[in-house]
Every structure is written in structure tokens, then in C-alpha cells.
């Protein structure tokens, strides 16, 4: 097991202080592990050192407490990585413009670690990626030091399992997968993380751990794709998909409830399955279920905009020139994360049709658009709802008042079924359907 090169508690380096890295750092510090957070953004580093959190799920108090106890600091100086007993790499893994994996951040982090690698260090990649990245990409970079994995240093993959907005499952109490390049690497990784994670789940290799993460996300993406296709089918049949889902969910076995929506968002579901699809294409294998689910889920913003168009037509108005209000632009309920949010494509499609679009989201005061603008969230005044030609619920935040939204909107398209009970109680003709009022 890695040993600290000075006295005191073990020292963990966390490379990347984003949605994964900063909560990981705080969780470790809360269990007495000293942490140095590394980031390339000076404002992030300064904020952490001032005791502030820029992550919605992590309070300022948690960061401030770790700072007061001398257990957490942040820096842009990557040369200090060599002081750490263990290093967790938690950098972004986006897609390129051609929807291929972009592992440039992993490469940069691995090079920084390699420059200071010393005997006894544990290096753990947490960034989601395709099977083989740890062994085929990270290991050769670290191997340039001449040190041997499983003997001189320890290399593992341990996928992040962050669920933004989840009040129950956090870093410390979520079982953590670990797979090493060698059995000794796995043992070292499990022993270190067990200091601040309640349950470690060891698998046979880094590749098994990498595929485990993608399976978790592909499982959700495929099932959401299935229920989204069922929503399209139900719409064609004139049936209420939410009624059908609730009925199916009464089965006590063999069914797990997933719900349709305007499309996938966040870093994981719209991105991670592409990593596996890309990897398998290099092996002349097509991931048919994943590709089909991706295609269906990608169609949902267009479907929602079609419902807006249909609702406005029913009210005798064209989309061109209409004032449309989007409620919620984060990718999921009660979070501030807009990465890959379907709201962006909905905005683009509506504006392409000539609509005047505004948005309200209490969690997202400013919204950078794909064309370089920055939109501002407008206050949700009664007149705003009354004056909009159409209101579209894209994200069903808990602090939205469904009754108020239903009563004041002239035309309402609900992509989350948030106003179903209100519409049903008012005996609206389209109750519990996408167009709940129009």
C-alpha cells in the first residue's frame, strides 16, 4: 500500500476539481485524509482556498470545514503531485465535434503525473472512458519513468458514480468499483479508498472497471430510449404514455420504471455510450442497442418542438414571431448542470423557426448558448406566464408551482408530466398528454 513520504495522515492529490473531483476531495478530507486539489483554472483554485464550493451538491461549509482543519488546499502547481501518496484523475472526457472520444484532458493529466511519479504512489483514473484507456494510454505514459506497475507504483481505474441532486447517495456511501493493472494495484487502490468510502467492490482488471461504468450508463440510456420510443408510439395511437407507464409500474417484478422526456442531458448518458461505440467500431463490431437508443433519444427535442408547433397551430398562431417561455434548462431536476441539456437544441430549433425565446431557471441564472451568447434567466412573474404565447416545461424543478403554471399559461407543453394532476383535476381535454393546455 502507498505510504506517505512525511508524517501525518495520507495525502491524496485530486486532478480536476469539477463535479467529480471536488466532492471526492471533500469526502476524503471529511475522513481525515489530507488533500491537494489540482486544477488549471485559477478562479476554481482561489475559490476552494477561500472555502467556497462551485459545485451545487457540495456546500461552502463542507469546503470551509476542510480548509479550517488544514485537510484541503488547491493549487495550479502540478509539480506538487510528487508529494502525494495517491492521485485521483477526475478530468472531463467530452466528445469531439465528430462525436468521437476526446481524451486530451486524460493525456495532459497523465503527463503531469508522470513528470513527478515516485515509488509507492497510487494513481487512479476516475474519468469515464472506453475500456483499455488505463492500460493502453495511461500506463505507457507513466511507464516512461522506468518504474514498474504493481511493484514500484500502482495504477487503477475506479469510475465516478456521481448523481447530481441526489440527497442520499454521495461519494462516501456509494459502493465504489476498483480495478487495477495488476492484482497488487487493485489491492492498493481498494485499501486507500476504504479510508473514506464505506464499500469497495474489486473487479479483476482496469478494463472490467471501465466497462462497468459504461454498462451502468448504457443501461439507463437504452431504457430511456425504449420508453421515449414508447412515448412516440403512444402519441401516434392517441394514448397517454404516462398512464401506461404508471400501470406497468404496478407490476412487482420484471419491470423498472423509466419516464420519457425532452432528451438526455448531463455528461454521462449522452456521452459515455459513444465511448464504447467508438471502441467497438475499431474492433469491427457495431453496438446496435446503444446506437439505436442514442438515435431515439436524440430525436426527442425535435418531438417536443413539434408539440409546441402543434399547440400554437391549435391556438391559431405560427411559431414565427411567437413569444415562447422555457421553464427549466438544466439537464435534470433541481441541479444547475446544463451540460448536453436538451433545452439547448429546443432553443435552437424554436429560434430557427423565428420564435422569440426566453427562459426561467432558478438554478441557472446565466445560460451560455452554443452560438456564443449568454442568456439571462427572467423572473417568473405572473405577467410573464400570461404574456407568453406558449410555455414549455423542459425541466421540472421542485420549486415550480404546477397549478400556477397551468392556470396562467395560455398554451402549455409539458415535456415532464409535471402538471398532470392539475390538468386532470381541471378535466383538461389533453390532460396527462404532452400538450396539457392549448
Amino acid at each position: 500500500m502507498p505510504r506517505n513520504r512525511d508524517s501525518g495522515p495520507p495525502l491524496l492529490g485530486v486532478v480536476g476539481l469539477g463535479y467529480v473531483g471536488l466532492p471526492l476531495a471533500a469526502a476524503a478530507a471529511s475522513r481525515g485524509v489530507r488533500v491537494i486539489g489540482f486544477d488549471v483554472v485559477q478562479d476554481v483554485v482561489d475559490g476552494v482556498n477561500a472555502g467556497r464550493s462551485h459545485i451545487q451538491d457540495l456546500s461552502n461549509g463542507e469546503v470551509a470545514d476542510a480548509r479550517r482543519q488544514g485537510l484541503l488546499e488547491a493549487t495550479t502547481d502540478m509539480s506538487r503531485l510528487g508529494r502525494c501518496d495517491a492521485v485521483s484523475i477526475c478530468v472531463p472526457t467530452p466528445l469531439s465535434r465528430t462525436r468521437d472520444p476526446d481524451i486530451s484532458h486524460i493525456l495532459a493529466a497523465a503527463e503531469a503525473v508522470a513528470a513527478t511519479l515516485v515509488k509507492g504512489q497510487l494513481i487512479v483514473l476516475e474519468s469515464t472512458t472506453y475500456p483499455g484507456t488505463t492500460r493502453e494510454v495511461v500506463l505507457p505514459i507513466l511507464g516512461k519513468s522506468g518504474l514498474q506497475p504493481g511493484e514500484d507504483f500502482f495504477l487503477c481505474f475506479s469510475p465516478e458514480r456521481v448523481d447530481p441532486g441526489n440527497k442520499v447517495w454521495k461519494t462516501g456511501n456509494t459502493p465504489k468499483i476498483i480495478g487495477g493493472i495488476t492484482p497488487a494495484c487493485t489491492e492498493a487502490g481498494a485499501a486507500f479508498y476504504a479510508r473514506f468510502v464505506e464499500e469497495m467492490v474489486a473487479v479483476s482488471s482496469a478494463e472490467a472497471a471501465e466497462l462497468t461504468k459504461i454498462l451502468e450508463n448504457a443501461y439507463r440510456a437504452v431504457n430511456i430510449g425504449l420508453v421515449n420510443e414508447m412515448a412516440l408510439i403512444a402519441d401516434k395511437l392517441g394514448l397517454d404514455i404516462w398512464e401506461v407507464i404508471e400501470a406497468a409500474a404496478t407490476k412487482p417484478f420484471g419491470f423498472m420504471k423509466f419516464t420519457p422526456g425532452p432528451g438526455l442531458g448531463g455528461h454521462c448518458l449522452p456521452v459515455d455510450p459513444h465511448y464504447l461505440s467508438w471502441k467497438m467500431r475499431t474492433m469491427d463490431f457495431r453496438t446496435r442497442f446503444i446506437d439505436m437508443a442514442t438515435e431515439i433519444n436524440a430525436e426527442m427535442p425535435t418531438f417536443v418542438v413539434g408539440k409546441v408547433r402543434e399547440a400554437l397551430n391549435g391556438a391559431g398562431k405560427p411559431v414565427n414571431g411567437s413569444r415562447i417561455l422555457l421553464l427549466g434548462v438544466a439537464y435534470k431536476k433541481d441541479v444547475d448542470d446544463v451540460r448536453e441539456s436538451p433545452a439547448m437544441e429546443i432553443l435552437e430549433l424554436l429560434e430557427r423557426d423565428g420564435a422569440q425565446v426566453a427562459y426561467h431557471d432558478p438554478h441557472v441564472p446565466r445560460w451560455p448558448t452554443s452560438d456564443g451568447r449568454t442568456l439571462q434567466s427572467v423572473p417568473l412573474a405572473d405577467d410573464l406566464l400570461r404574456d407568453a404565447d406558449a410555455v414549455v416545461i423542459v425541466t421540472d424543478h421542485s420549486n415550480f408551482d404546477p397549478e400556477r403554471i397551468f392556470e396562467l399559461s395560455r398554451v402549455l407543453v409539458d415535456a415532464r408530466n409535471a402538471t398532470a394532476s392539475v390538468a386532470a383535476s381541471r378535466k383538461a381535454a389533453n390532460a396527462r398528454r404532452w400538450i396539457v393546455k392549448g
Side-chain angles (χ1 to χ4, degrees):
M1 179 178 174
R3 301 294 300 174
N4 189 249
R5 281 158 291 285
D6 55 31
S7 60
L11 180 61
L12 170 65
V14 178
V15 182
L17 295 176
Y19 288 87
V20 176
L22 188 56
L24 177 73
S30 72
R31 296 297 181 94
V33 176
R34 292 181 298 159
V35 182
I36 301 177
F38 297 84
D39 205 284
V40 297
V41 180
Q42 189 65 53
D43 285 349
V44 168
V45 167
D46 292 342
V48 171
N49 287 334
R52 297 193 303 271
S53 170
H54 57 280
I55 305 300
Q56 185 177 15
D57 278 357
L58 187 67
S59 69
N60 288 334
E62 291 172 274
V63 176
D65 285 346
R67 290 287 295 144
R68 277 193 295 269
Q69 296 176 54
L71 293 171
L72 174 64
E73 64 174 303
T75 182
T76 59
D77 182 5
M78 297 294 172
S79 68
R80 297 179 64 190
L81 284 164
R83 295 181 50 200
C84 301
D85 294 296
V87 176
S88 295
I89 298 174
C90 306
V91 294
T93 48
L95 295 173
S96 69
R97 290 185 177 182
T98 58
R99 309 300 284 176
D100 289 333
D102 176 0
I103 61 169
S104 59
H105 299 291
I106 292 179
L107 294 174
E111 292 285 359
V113 171
T116 61
L117 187 66
V118 294
K119 281 192 173 184
Q121 272 191 314
L122 167 69
I123 311 301
V124 183
L125 178 60
E126 293 213 8
S127 306
T128 303
T129 185
Y130 58 84
T133 304
T134 306
R135 191 181 305 273
E136 299 165 9
V137 176
V138 177
L139 178 58
I141 294 174
L142 301 184
K144 289 187 291 188
S145 65
L147 300 178
Q148 296 301 309
E151 298 176 12
D152 301 320
F153 73 96
F154 306 92
L155 176 60
C156 300
F157 182 81
S158 182
E160 56 89 1
R161 281 175 161 174
V162 174
D163 184 18
N166 195 317
K167 303 300 183 185
V168 176
W169 296 105
K170 302 293 185 180
T171 300
N173 66 350
T174 300
K176 190 158 184 58
I177 305 294
I178 189 90
I181 293 298
T182 70
C185 292
T186 303
E187 183 180 355
F192 189 89
Y193 275 100
R195 294 173 180 272
F196 57 92
V197 176
E198 294 175 10
E199 181 180 354
M200 295 302 302
V201 181
V203 294
S204 62
S205 65
E207 290 83 356
E210 290 163 337
L211 186 57
T212 296
K213 171 62 175 178
I214 293 184
L215 171 60
E216 292 171 2
N217 289 335
Y219 171 82
R220 292 170 60 203
V222 166
N223 278 281
I224 293 171
L226 171 62
V227 79
N228 276 336
E229 184 172 47
M230 283 293 179
L232 301 178
I233 291 170
D235 187 68
K236 291 290 185 182
L237 295 174
L239 297 173
D240 174 5
I241 184 58
W242 284 284
E243 178 188 9
V244 172
I245 291 170
E246 292 298 333
T250 62
K251 185 178 180 182
F253 52 88
F255 183 83
M256 180 175 288
K257 179 180 174 181
F258 288 82
T259 55
L264 297 182
H267 170 71
C268 292
L269 297 193
V271 174
D272 295 350
H274 284 281
Y275 274 70
L276 184 59
S277 296
W278 175 87
K279 173 69 174 181
M280 299 316 297
R281 285 198 302 272
T282 68
M283 304 175 70
D284 197 27
F285 183 90
R286 182 185 171 204
T287 52
R288 290 168 290 177
F289 269 13
I290 293 174
D291 293 348
M292 181 60 71
T294 298
E295 180 181 332
I296 293 167
N297 291 329
E299 292 173 355
M300 295 309 293
T302 300
F303 174 76
V304 170
V305 171
K307 285 298 171 186
V308 176
R309 189 178 296 112
E310 179 184 331
L312 286 171
N313 285 342
K317 292 188 68 68
V319 176
N320 189 14
S322 289
R323 293 165 297 181
I324 297 177
L325 174 65
L326 304 183
L327 294 182
V329 297
Y331 87 89
K332 67 179 287 190
K333 184 175 185 174
D334 298 338
V335 304
D336 62 355
D337 193 345
V338 296
R339 290 176 297 175
E340 304 290 333
S341 173
M344 182 60 66
E345 186 173 353
I346 291 171
L347 169 73
E348 292 170 352
L349 291 170
L350 289 171
E351 289 188 332
R352 192 178 304 163
D353 283 351
Q356 301 171 25
V357 185
Y359 86 95
H360 170 78
D361 192 315
H363 300 280
V364 186
R366 288 169 296 280
W367 187 25
T369 65
S370 57
D371 60 3
R373 294 174 293 158
T374 298
L375 304 183
Q376 306 284 330
S377 176
V378 294
L380 193 58
D382 288 354
D383 285 346
L384 182 69
L385 290 166
R386 289 193 190 100
D387 293 344
D389 294 307
V391 174
V392 186
I393 299 177
V394 181
T395 311
D396 53 335
H397 293 308
S398 295
N399 58 0
F400 286 165
D401 182 347
E403 186 165 359
R404 177 191 179 206
I405 293 168
F406 181 87
E407 293 295 346
L408 297 180
S409 301
R410 286 189 273 177
V411 170
L412 177 61
V413 175
D414 185 354
R416 297 287 186 178
N417 203 35
T419 59
S421 59
V422 180
S425 68
R426 303 297 191 277
K427 295 183 171 57
N430 292 305
R432 296 181 62 82
R433 300 273 291 279
W434 297 87
I435 302 173
V436 296
K437 188 177 182 183

